[in-house]
Amino acid sequence: MMKKKLRYFWDYYKWYVIIPILIVIFLIITIQGFLEENRENSVYISMINCKDEYSVDEYLTAYSDLLQKEGKTKVPFRLEGGYVHPENVDEKIAADSMVTASIQRYQAEVISKRSEAVIASEWVIRDYAAADAYCDLYDVLTEEQLKELQDDLFICKNMEGKEIAAGVYLKSELFVDAYEEKPPVFAIASYLEDKTVAIDFMMHCVNQ
């Protein structure tokens, strides 16, 4: 009896079932394709210990608009802020759930390879460079770029104990004010396959 009812249902209502399923599958494939394309053409930047994220966000938007005016592809920068990472994590700080959650959140971004670049205090770059999280700029920049940046490179050691150029100091007034301390460091994730956009933005920041 049940089999007969199922057969009747399928014969008369199958398209009412199949068509919505096909629509859902089509929407999922379309959305996934859009997200992948958007991700490939964007740069995800994490900001750690930034006190004025709004100003940095405006700066990134202005830079993206500048690319478009110059006839280049407009790059959507995805800025993720709210990270806090003290230089010295003592017992009191470790007991602060907000700070602990912030540190763990950035660690998760690095492990999942979501964070593609970072603007942070130098001790943050030093700590994560020791885990090979950032690329060595000596390996990815041209001789001309390295010569231009020689006074701005942040040098520290990687996992093997080798000295690398893990990032570049951003010494412009905007970034120094936003971080209320020594100039922050811009670093690029070692796992980022195409580093061109991130490098271009880094050079733009340094030359401001």
Side-chain angles (χ1 to χ4, degrees):
M1 187 70 176
M2 180 61 69
K3 187 180 291 185
K4 188 175 180 180
K5 287 183 177 180
L6 289 173
R7 185 179 298 169
Y8 173 82
F9 177 84
W10 182 250
D11 288 341
Y12 289 93
Y13 295 100
K14 61 183 176 182
W15 293 114
Y16 291 95
V17 175
I18 293 173
I19 291 176
I21 291 174
L22 291 175
I23 291 174
V24 170
I25 292 173
F26 173 77
L27 288 173
I28 290 173
I29 292 173
T30 302
I31 291 171
Q32 283 181 335
F34 172 78
L35 291 175
E36 284 299 316
E37 181 180 355
N38 189 51
R39 178 173 175 81
E40 290 175 2
N41 295 324
S42 64
V43 176
Y44 184 104
I45 301 177
S46 303
M47 290 189 301
I48 304 176
N49 296 334
C50 183
K51 308 298 183 183
D52 187 2
E53 295 172 0
Y54 178 77
S55 295
V56 177
D57 184 47
E58 280 196 326
Y59 180 84
L60 287 171
T61 301
Y63 173 70
S64 185
D65 292 341
L66 177 64
L67 291 179
Q68 191 174 36
K69 289 179 181 178
E70 292 178 348
K72 301 176 184 177
T73 304
K74 184 173 181 177
V75 180
F77 288 93
R78 296 173 296 153
L79 204 59
E80 186 71 17
Y83 296 102
V84 178
H85 195 306
E87 182 172 8
N88 299 304
V89 181
D90 55 23
E91 291 183 6
K92 184 178 179 180
I93 293 176
D96 187 327
S97 59
M98 295 289 288
V99 173
T100 302
S102 176
I103 294 173
Q104 291 176 343
R105 184 161 67 99
Y106 180 64
Q107 288 174 344
E109 299 287 0
V110 173
I111 292 171
S112 64
K113 299 183 179 181
R114 188 165 181 243
S115 177
E116 298 166 330
V118 62
I119 304 174
S121 310
E122 59 181 30
W123 60 81
V124 177
I125 306 301
R126 183 181 60 245
D127 289 350
Y128 284 89
D132 291 341
Y134 310 125
C135 69
D136 184 354
L137 296 180
Y138 287 135
D139 295 333
V140 299
L141 298 182
T142 65
E143 288 186 13
E144 184 177 344
Q145 288 172 328
L146 286 171
K147 185 176 180 180
E148 183 178 347
L149 298 173
Q150 61 183 344
D151 295 329
D152 299 314
L153 294 174
F154 176 67
I155 310 297
C156 60
K157 294 182 179 181
N158 64 6
M159 187 180 291
E160 297 177 352
K162 174 188 174 184
E163 286 196 342
I164 65 170
V168 171
Y169 283 107
L170 301 182
K171 298 178 179 178
S172 70
E173 184 177 352
L174 180 142
F175 289 105
V176 173
D177 288 347
Y179 278 77
E180 297 181 356
E181 54 186 49
K182 295 173 66 175
V185 179
F186 182 91
I188 301 171
S190 57
Y191 44 76
L192 180 61
E193 293 183 8
D194 186 357
K195 299 178 175 63
T196 306
V197 174
I199 290 173
D200 287 345
F201 173 67
M202 179 180 70
M203 299 301 297
H204 176 79
C205 291
V206 172
N207 290 322
Q208 291 305 296

